[in-house]
Structures are given as C-alpha cells and as structure tokens.
Amino acid sequence: MRLDKFLCDMQLGTRSQVKDCIKKGNVSVNGSTVKSPDYKLDENADSVSYMGKNVTYQSLYYYMLHKPMNVVTATKDSHDKTVMDLLPDANGKNLFPVGRLDKDTEGLLLITNDGELAHNLLSPKKHVKKTYYVECSGEIDSDKLHMLENGVDIGDEEPTCPAEVRLISQLDCSYTMELTITEGRFHQVKRMVQAVGGAVSYLKRLSMGSLSLDSNLPKGAYRPLTADEIARLKNNLY
Ligand code: URA
C-alpha cells in the first residue's frame, strides 16, 4: 500500500495534507524518515510513525443494516437494544452508525469505521439525498405536497431545503409517498409531514446517496457492502 493512502485511510488528513506532511519529513517507516508519498509499505508489518506517533493500520469496514423497529441508533444504550447489537461481527472494529434513524424508523443504515466517509455523507454542504418511504394520515392536498417540495417551517431557524415528493397512493386521508431530502435534521420527515397537518405512522429509509437498501436483506439482517457500492458512495461525494 502507498504511504499516503495508508495515512489517509487512518483519517490523518486529506491526500494532499498527508502528502505535504510526508514531504516535510514528518513520517517515518521502521525508524527511517520517508519523503516519498508513493513509498510502498506492508501495512500489517511495517511500523509507521506520523508526527512522532505510532500509527497502527486498521482496515475499513462497511456494512448495510436493515434496521428494524424498537432498536436505537447508538453504539451503547442502558435500556434498549442498539443497532450495534445486531452486528455480532462488530466487536473491536470501532464501527458506528452513519446518521440516526428513530427507534420506530426502519430501513437502510450504513455502519462503518470510515470517519471520513461518514463525515462527508452527513455534511450539510454535500446535500446527500436520503429517500424515505412514508405512510401518513391527514389532509394533504396538492398544495401541501408542493409545500413539502419547496420547503416548510418545522420550527428551526431555516425552513427545510427543497425536497422531492412522489405520491404513491391516497385512500381518504391515508397516504403513502416517497420523500427525498438532502438534510438530516432531528425527526425531519415526521416534522415536515406534521408541518403540513399530517402525522407519520410508518417510516422506512430506502436509500442514502447512491446506496439503496438491498431488497433481499430481511429486517434486522446486515451484509458487507460490495466493492462497487463502496466505490460509488465515495465517487459521488468527492
Ligand atoms: N426523519 C424522521 O423523522 N425520522 C427518522 O428516523 C429519519 C428521518
């Protein structure tokens, strides 16, 4: 593995920051200063020191979890089962969930130890699309659907950013729709629907960025992302 990639994977800076650091002589391998960012090392055997501190290589892991209801999105909880309890493989890998789904929300949750990817997916500046399947009740006419699309006041400083709404069905005052938002505010979908006079009765996340919930993954199950899914998630961000 290249030395600059090793340092990036370990979240020590962007590729250009770690390259600068290497060129300045702040990195050593097996006790000798290395000034070439493309120096090839054995990440599992060589001993790397960055700004005087030893850096141990940790592989990056990416899992898709189909979160069921009644499980909290946290790494630890004294009362409730957490999403991490559903991943017996998680021990010792420093995994964490990317973003939060409410206890009663189901669907796609990315679990990783890649802090840089998580940061980028959650950054408000990146406007990563999240699509939810929503079941709700109320009197939500086409004006209100347009309000959801244009942005609504949910009691925060700013109205919500424009969203995409796809009405799937309506029967009297019961609706199913897909709602795509680019932010991640607290209880955002429920508060948006509430702001137009409705109430969410069921919520499921279908996708985040280029990553879609695998329809073959049962509730409560997880699987590693494929190399292609990881590459597409990253390529669409940087
Ligand atoms: N919006 C919500 O209201 N809840 C979630 O869990 C996710 C988005």
Side-chain angles (χ1 to χ4, degrees), residues 2-9 15 18-19 22 37-38:
R2 285 174 58 119
L3 180 56
D4 55 356
K5 180 174 186 328
F6 172 96
L7 295 172
C8 275
D9 281 0
R15 193 57 87 97
V18 303
K19 274 184 178 168
I22 295 167
D38 62 356

Side-chain angles (χ1 to χ4, degrees), residues 43-153:
E43 65 274 16
N44 296 312
D46 289 333
S47 142
V48 178
S49 155
Y50 176 86
M51 314 275 273
K53 286 199 178 134
N54 282 344
V55 185
T56 322
Y57 190 70
Q58 188 184 29
S59 302
L60 295 175
Y61 300 96
Y62 305 86
Y63 297 100
M64 166 189 302
L65 171 72
H66 187 162
K67 180 192 173 298
M69 277 192 199
N70 297 323
V71 172
V72 293
T73 309
T75 45
K76 275 193 189 130
D77 193 277
S78 47
H79 294 290
D80 289 304
K81 194 167 177 176
T82 75
V83 290
M84 303 314 291
D85 294 330
L86 298 172
L87 277 87
D89 276 359
N91 285 346
K93 292 182 182 165
N94 292 328
L95 297 171
F96 57 86
V98 179
R100 181 181 284 265
L101 291 179
D102 297 335
K103 187 173 170 181
D104 59 357
T105 301
E106 298 187 337
L108 174 68
L109 193 63
L110 173 63
I111 308 233
T112 184
N113 58 353
D114 184 339
E116 190 186 355
L117 178 68
H119 173 80
N120 280 304
L121 284 170
L122 298 175
S123 163
K125 289 186 201 143
K126 300 277 183 183
H127 299 288
V128 172
K129 287 187 178 184
K130 277 128 322 203
T131 298
Y132 293 87
Y133 167 78
V134 185
E135 291 179 3
C136 59
S137 58
E139 285 191 23
I140 309 178
D141 56 18
S142 59
D143 283 352
K144 290 187 172 165
L145 292 176
H146 283 127
M147 283 169 69
L148 287 175
E149 281 171 343
N150 294 331
V152 279
D153 179 359

Side-chain angles (χ1 to χ4, degrees), residues 100-102 105 132 181 185 187-191 203:
R100 181 181 284 265
L101 291 179
D102 297 335
T105 301
Y132 293 87
I181 58 175
R185 303 192 204 175
H187 295 329
Q188 181 162 346
V189 172
K190 291 174 186 163
R191 289 160 72 207
L203 190 57

